Amino acid sequence: GLARYYRRKGFVVACQDEATFGLIPIISRGWAVRGSRPVARTDFKQESITVMGARTKRAFVYSFCKRKNKRRFVRFLKLLQKKWSRVFLIIDNAPWHRGREVADFLKGNRKTFRVMYFPRYTPELNPVEQCWKPARRTLSNRLLRTLPAAQYHLRKTFGNSKAMPKMFKYL
């Protein structure tokens, strides 16, 4: 429907979302010697990093930030603007996606951006949500002591096109 219309008009169709990754270990299933008691070492730091990501059928553009806010979201939109000249962006209803700063930027860049919102409380419709799963799997069962170490592993995962899930057909 609407995505197909904008694709014919020369727009890149993308979905956007954010995820937060911390230094607290993600414990998942793993292998161990039979009869042994695996121990999960932790470092109990409450530090975290947020990843803003936009997914098209073939590409995943992301950016790291400390906090999710309107100013940071506008900065991410500028990154998308450099990457793609015209973008039809589908986003969720997070508070930092709305507001005067965001509205002013989108109004000033009407030729570049068209924005549509997912219905409220429907993360299952957003294909970017599926991109966070391989990233969490990469960080699971690891003791990461610093945020740059976490970013290193996240960059490797996001840069690996085979690790990223296929884009849903409904777009």
Side-chain angles (χ1 to χ4, degrees):
L2 199 54
R4 191 174 299 131
Y5 168 79
Y6 279 109
R7 207 175 291 124
R8 273 186 272 152
K9 293 280 188 182
F11 283 79
V12 172
V13 177
C15 296
Q16 191 275 337
D17 195 33
E18 304 85 12
T20 302
F21 298 90
L23 292 182
I24 296 174
I26 302 166
I27 307 299
S28 65
R29 293 179 109 180
W31 293 96
V33 177
R34 178 174 274 177
S36 69
R37 290 193 66 156
V39 175
R41 297 190 183 277
T42 59
D43 201 5
F44 291 108
K45 289 184 182 174
Q46 292 293 331
E47 295 180 56
S48 63
I49 191 84
T50 296
V51 182
M52 290 190 174
R55 178 92 166 124
T56 67
K57 194 170 186 174
R58 292 183 179 85
F60 182 67
V61 177
Y62 63 93
S63 174
F64 293 104
C65 60
K66 276 296 213 180
R67 290 196 173 90
K68 299 180 252 190
N69 59 34
K70 293 172 188 155
R71 190 183 70 213
R72 186 63 192 113
F73 180 62
V74 168
R75 195 176 314 153
F76 183 70
L77 291 176
K78 289 177 183 176
L79 174 71
L80 294 181
Q81 193 175 24
K82 287 180 186 173
K83 178 86 173 155
W84 304 308
S85 58
R86 300 175 84 193
V87 184
F88 175 64
L89 190 64
I90 308 169
I91 57 180
D92 59 16
N93 287 283
W96 50 87
H97 293 164
R98 298 180 177 273
R100 197 173 75 211
E101 276 183 71
V102 177
D104 289 345
F105 176 79
L106 292 173
K107 188 176 180 182
N109 293 285
R110 266 184 275 200
K111 292 183 179 180
T112 305
F113 284 100
R114 297 286 193 276
V115 174
M116 185 175 127
Y117 293 91
F118 283 111
R120 290 184 185 272
Y121 308 110
T122 55
E124 67 276 4
L125 296 179
N126 192 343
V128 182
E129 294 283 351
Q130 302 304 313
C131 296
W132 309 134
K133 288 179 183 178
R136 293 198 193 286
R137 207 173 314 126
T138 298
L139 297 182
S140 69
N141 298 334
R142 290 181 189 264
L143 176 60
L144 300 169
R145 297 189 186 276
T146 63
L147 288 177
Q151 286 178 326
Y152 169 79
H153 291 291
L154 291 170
R155 277 191 188 98
K156 278 179 54 177
T157 303
F158 296 146
N160 182 358
S161 61
K162 291 180 182 175
M164 290 288 106
K166 301 290 180 232
M167 187 73 161
F168 290 169
K169 300 276 186 206
Y170 65 84
L171 293 176

